[in-house]
Amino acid sequence: MRADVFFAMLTFCFVSGVTPGPNNLMLMTSGVNFGFRRTLPHLMGVIVGYTVMVALVGFGLTAIFARVPALLPAMRWFGAAYMLWLAWKIAHSGPVGESASRGAPLGFFGAAAFQWINPKGWVMALSALTAYAVVDDYARNVLFVALTYFVVAFPSSGVWAALGASMRRALANPRIARPFNLTMAALLAASIIPVFME
């Protein structure tokens, strides 16, 4: 891959990975409720799961969607329903101490599986692959795109988990936690709007 194309792809992957979306909002909420260390399996599930998804989509999984066109919209709607359920849980969760004692953070495999129903993730993957993998050697560039996401995911998504963990003390106060939880739930619900606009 040419240097100019690589740096453009690197910038795209980082910016698309650091902007708000379901993964980052869920990581921040987990950081608030469970701390950074307990959120690490969730973060690693996002990183590994998304890298694998990008590679598989790039190497031909799109052929399955071409043969079964109803599969991708069904996955997107299922993902939207799941995110609305998560938003409802976040909206009804209590202050940090209560949330941490009543539940557990999303684990590695749950976070990895979530990548397949995350609408923002699909848009990011398909955009990166169609923009950068088609230049020169396609197979090699699919690996470049997937590995670039793997490298940039820890800082771009990890900062959200760290931000949430840094707010734990303030969010132990119910008067602060309630509006925060409602805001996070509303943002998570709003992040699925693209699903309903297609």
Side-chain angles (χ1 to χ4, degrees):
M1 184 178 286
R2 298 194 323 260
D4 58 336
V5 174
F6 174 76
F7 285 114
M9 179 193 66
L10 181 65
T11 302
F12 175 85
C13 291
F14 180 79
V15 171
S16 62
V18 79
T19 52
N23 276 326
N24 290 339
L25 294 172
M26 289 165 54
L27 284 166
M28 185 169 76
T29 304
S30 181
V32 166
N33 290 318
F34 305 107
F36 187 80
R37 184 177 298 171
R38 289 185 67 194
T39 300
L40 275 175
H42 181 169
L43 176 61
M44 294 311 297
V46 169
I47 294 168
V48 174
Y50 191 70
T51 301
V52 169
M53 187 189 96
V54 171
L56 289 178
V57 169
F59 285 126
L61 196 59
T62 50
I64 294 173
F65 296 125
R67 287 188 173 193
V68 188
L71 183 60
L72 187 55
M75 288 174 62
R76 287 180 177 161
W77 281 93
F78 178 76
Y82 179 69
M83 285 189 285
L84 286 174
W85 177 76
L86 286 174
W88 183 86
K89 284 191 70 172
I90 292 168
H92 289 86
S93 62
V96 168
E98 288 180 25
S99 299
S101 63
R102 286 189 312 195
L106 187 62
F108 176 88
F109 292 106
F114 175 72
Q115 304 317 301
W116 292 95
I117 57 170
N118 177 2
K120 182 190 174 192
W122 277 97
V123 170
M124 288 166 42
L126 294 172
S127 297
L129 289 167
T130 55
Y132 302 108
V134 295
V135 180
D136 304 324
D137 185 343
Y138 178 77
R140 185 186 61 194
N141 289 342
V142 166
L143 286 177
F144 269 126
V145 172
L147 290 174
T148 300
Y149 269 121
F150 181 81
V151 170
V152 303
F154 192 87
S156 64
S157 291
V159 70
W160 288 84
L163 176 64
S166 71
M167 296 187 295
R168 282 176 62 80
R169 182 172 293 175
L171 293 172
N173 181 339
R175 288 182 297 183
I176 299 173
R178 182 71 179 149
F180 174 82
N181 289 338
L182 289 173
T183 302
M184 289 299 102
L187 289 172
L188 184 58
S191 73
I192 65 170
I193 288 173
V195 174
F196 299 101
M197 296 179 69
E198 290 188 3

